[in-house]
Amino acid sequence: DSGVTQTPKHLITATGQRVTLRCSPRSGDLSVYWYQQSLDQGLQFLIQYYNGEERAKGNILERFSAQQFPDLHSELNLSSLELGDSALYFCASSLGQFVNTGELFFGEGSRLTVL
Amino acid sequence: QQPVQSPQAVILREGEDAVINCSSSKALYSVHWYRQKHGEAPVFLMILLKGGEQKGHEKISASFNEKKQQSSLYLTASQLSYSGTYFCGTERNAGGTSYGKLTFGQGTILTVHP
């Protein structure tokens, strides 16, 4: 158990819909990262927040948005869903703002299926 | 820029050794290695920060050649528990500082048989 909690574990929805994925980082960790894992794309970095502020941005679509709240939990919002958005979405957390200062602790992921 | 890992897959017998390579076309600030077992989350193995640095973790070690923008993961005397997908993550070097993004390669599937 990494200490990172993600909900829901599984989500099935239809194209065009909007979903919210939630992540609670390990106690004490200030950074939250979102990654998308699909079979053909591997682990794709989406975005990082540190202590409530956006720290780094990856290949995140405009239809996707994220935020980190004062209690440090984070939410990833996916809208106008397409079939290609079906993937496993991982949240990870770390203590510092720089990714090279320590390991990332990954949650178990939220599996999104878009029908 | 996604790093390139090779080979894509490796099949070993227990006790055999393996090397997984990771290369980038861009200057690197750090290289990270993670292992993901089927149906589970990726788990951290190690970070390498300096050129030529080698780190070890049990019977798993890695090197980082900053000049060649390459890293290699060495698994010696493999055990059944080593099976999984190994990902290298790279952090680009922007004039001595980091871009701040950890970009993972496609992964190398390692299977260890008894």
Side-chain angles (χ1 to χ4, degrees):
Chain A
D1 182 6
S2 67
V4 178
T5 304
Q6 288 188 247
T7 57
K9 287 189 170 26
H10 299 276
L11 193 55
I12 301 174
T13 188
T15 55
Q17 295 297 305
R18 172 189 169 94
V19 298
T20 297
L21 310 180
R22 182 189 168 100
C23 169
S24 293
R26 281 191 333 151
S27 177
D29 282 357
L30 299 176
S31 274
V32 169
Y33 308 77
W34 286 98
Y35 281 87
Q36 178 193 56
Q37 186 174 41
S38 55
L39 284 175
D40 59 341
Q41 294 290 326
L43 267 170
Q44 296 286 310
F45 170 66
L46 296 178
I47 198 162
Q48 177 202 353
Y49 280 86
Y50 173 75
N51 205 20
E53 300 290 328
E54 184 182 303
R55 172 72 180 84
K57 207 167 186 177
N59 301 320
I60 187 166
L61 300 172
E62 284 190 9
R63 299 183 287 109
F64 296 0
S65 65
Q67 56 183 325
Q68 186 180 28
F69 295 87
D71 67 352
L72 300 177
H73 91 270
S74 178
E75 293 181 356
L76 179 66
N77 300 297
L78 315 174
S79 61
S80 303
L81 286 168
E82 302 175 357
L83 296 178
D85 297 329
S86 295
L88 188 54
Y89 291 84
F90 281 110
C91 168
S93 74
S94 69
L95 178 61
Q97 64 172 312
F98 298 108
V99 72
N100 55 57
T101 56
E103 66 181 279
L104 302 187
F105 294 89
F106 282 82
E108 294 186 353
S110 291
R111 182 168 294 283
L112 173 67
T113 303
V114 182
L115 301 176
Chain B
Q1 229 81 4
Q2 188 176 36
V4 176
Q5 289 185 233
S6 62
Q8 290 185 326
V10 185
I11 299 175
L12 300 173
R13 294 276 182 200
E14 261 188 304
E16 292 182 338
D17 301 340
V19 180
I20 299 172
N21 300 302
C22 174
S23 65
S24 172
S25 59
K26 304 290 184 181
L28 298 178
Y29 192 87
S30 66
V31 179
H32 307 227
W33 287 96
Y34 284 76
R35 176 172 61 205
Q36 183 180 27
K37 292 184 179 288
H38 184 69
E40 299 181 8
V43 173
F44 172 80
L45 294 176
M46 64 191 76
I47 295 175
L48 302 105
L49 293 173
K50 297 178 181 178
E53 182 181 11
Q54 188 148 351
K55 281 197 159 189
H57 177 77
E58 298 176 343
K59 292 180 182 177
I60 300 174
S61 62
S63 63
F64 175 26
N65 187 320
E66 188 180 348
K67 289 183 180 177
K68 292 186 176 181
Q69 294 140 210
Q70 293 176 347
S71 177
S72 293
L73 185 71
Y74 307 95
L75 301 104
T76 57
S78 60
Q79 306 168 11
L80 295 177
S81 62
Y82 285 5
S83 292
T85 302
Y86 289 77
F87 291 97
C88 77
T90 56
E91 187 188 8
R92 284 177 56 190
N93 189 337
T97 60
S98 162
Y99 271 103
K101 304 176 191 178
L102 186 60
T103 304
F104 286 97
Q106 286 288 86
T108 295
I109 301 172
L110 181 76
T111 305
V112 181
H113 290 297

